[in-house]
Amino acid sequence: MPTRRQLLSGGAAGIGAAALLTSCTPPPPAVAPKRYATLYRTLNGYRRDLVLWDPTGRNPTNIVQSVFGRPAWFADGQHLCISRGARDDSEGTWALWLCRVDGTVLHPITNPSIGIADLDPCVGSDGQTIAFSRDTIGFGAGQGIWIVQATGQGLRAVPGAAGGISPSLSSNLTAIVYAAADGIRRIPALGGTPFLIARAAFPWQYTQPTWSQTGNKVAFIRHDSAAAASLCYVAGFGGPVSVLTSSTAGIECPTWGKDGATLNYARFSGFGSEGRSATDVYRQVIGGPAVKIFRPPGPPATDLSTLA
């Protein structure tokens, strides 16, 4: 079974120890502006810079260096949760951090032991609860889904979600969907017995589930071949799988709009992060055509996260 680190090629450069700052909790959720967050892989193949864009793909602002994996927005639109190296990169250690859109890195949310990687954050609708993947493969425990508060308090594993990656919280914070080797699973946020809402045909065929905040739908990526992919969705309790769009290129990072019927996503050419030749951002309403929003200029973007 591939680890989360294998599914995310590359890594983040270490940044050294950081002082824990006071008064670091994000403000209550508010009306958020539309904005895109994009990670760029630089020529050395490791460092990724977090870049923000306006809704038309203009006015890029490089805010943070050495970010690993996709960032997650807080509902206020002014804060992000990122995964960043806690110490030297050779240790294979990544922690969750809170940062502002101006690039100010506020404080580490988690403080994992050496060799443990905290990845794939998803910020809940309360602006405080964060679900994430913890990779402890080097310690023999494997992957799993964890929860923590934005303050760093309340860190706990979700019992029953061992082996899962890429969690997404329901709008009422009572349930989590995540990717597993056999498909997309749902589990109570307090833990319990997970059940499949979409069964894969082969290991890790389904990835990157994301829960709509209205309409109780879960979007995810279906890998159809080495190069082709489809963006699909299914009801939150399972049922028939619907295909929004299919492509001979790669698709990733689906994000629901607030109407529960619109999805933003990235489409890219090439293989993985290292071999990309282009990445485009699309928006598509269920039942409607795909509309290209923009192509970030410069080096091919990777790990794109959107706020609809």
Side-chain angles (χ1 to χ4, degrees), residues 124-126 168-175 211-216:
S125 58
D126 62 349
S168 181
L169 282 157
S170 63
S171 59
N172 61 7
L173 308 179
T174 63
W211 218 320
S212 67
Q213 296 304 297
T214 60
N216 194 31

Side-chain angles (χ1 to χ4, degrees), residues 106-304:
L106 295 178
H107 73 90
I109 298 171
T110 61
N111 184 29
S113 300
I114 293 176
I116 293 178
D118 292 343
L119 306 162
D120 303 321
C122 170
V123 180
S125 58
D126 62 349
Q128 297 297 323
T129 305
I130 301 171
F132 66 97
S133 308
R134 171 160 282 191
D135 181 351
T136 59
I137 197 70
F139 295 82
Q143 304 147 192
I145 306 302
W146 289 60
I147 285 180
V148 68
Q149 297 300 299
T151 58
Q153 299 175 318
L155 176 68
R156 64 177 178 85
V158 177
I165 61 174
S166 303
S168 181
L169 282 157
S170 63
S171 59
N172 61 7
L173 308 179
T174 63
I176 298 171
V177 291
Y178 61 91
D182 54 356
I184 305 301
R185 293 186 169 213
R186 173 177 175 150
I187 192 170
L190 294 177
T193 302
F195 67 92
L196 280 169
I197 63 172
R199 183 179 297 276
F202 54 85
W204 300 105
Q205 182 189 21
Y206 295 166
T207 59
Q208 299 183 8
T210 178
W211 218 320
S212 67
Q213 296 304 297
T214 60
N216 194 31
K217 294 186 288 293
V218 176
F220 59 91
I221 303 301
R222 184 183 71 192
H223 299 281
D224 299 320
S225 68
S230 298
L231 176 54
C232 305
Y233 60 94
V234 66
F237 283 97
V241 171
S242 299
V243 177
L244 178 69
T245 187
S246 295
S247 174
T248 56
I251 300 176
E252 67 176 5
C253 304
T255 304
W256 287 99
K258 297 184 183 302
D259 60 0
T262 302
L263 279 157
N264 291 330
Y265 57 93
R267 184 184 295 175
F268 63 91
S269 301
F271 295 92
S273 297
E274 298 287 357
R276 295 190 183 188
S277 58
T279 300
D280 296 311
V281 181
Y282 283 84
R283 180 178 298 134
Q284 189 167 353
V285 178
I286 292 176
V291 178
K292 181 177 173 179
I293 305 302
F294 73 102
R295 172 177 291 182
T302 179
D303 298 316
L304 183 143

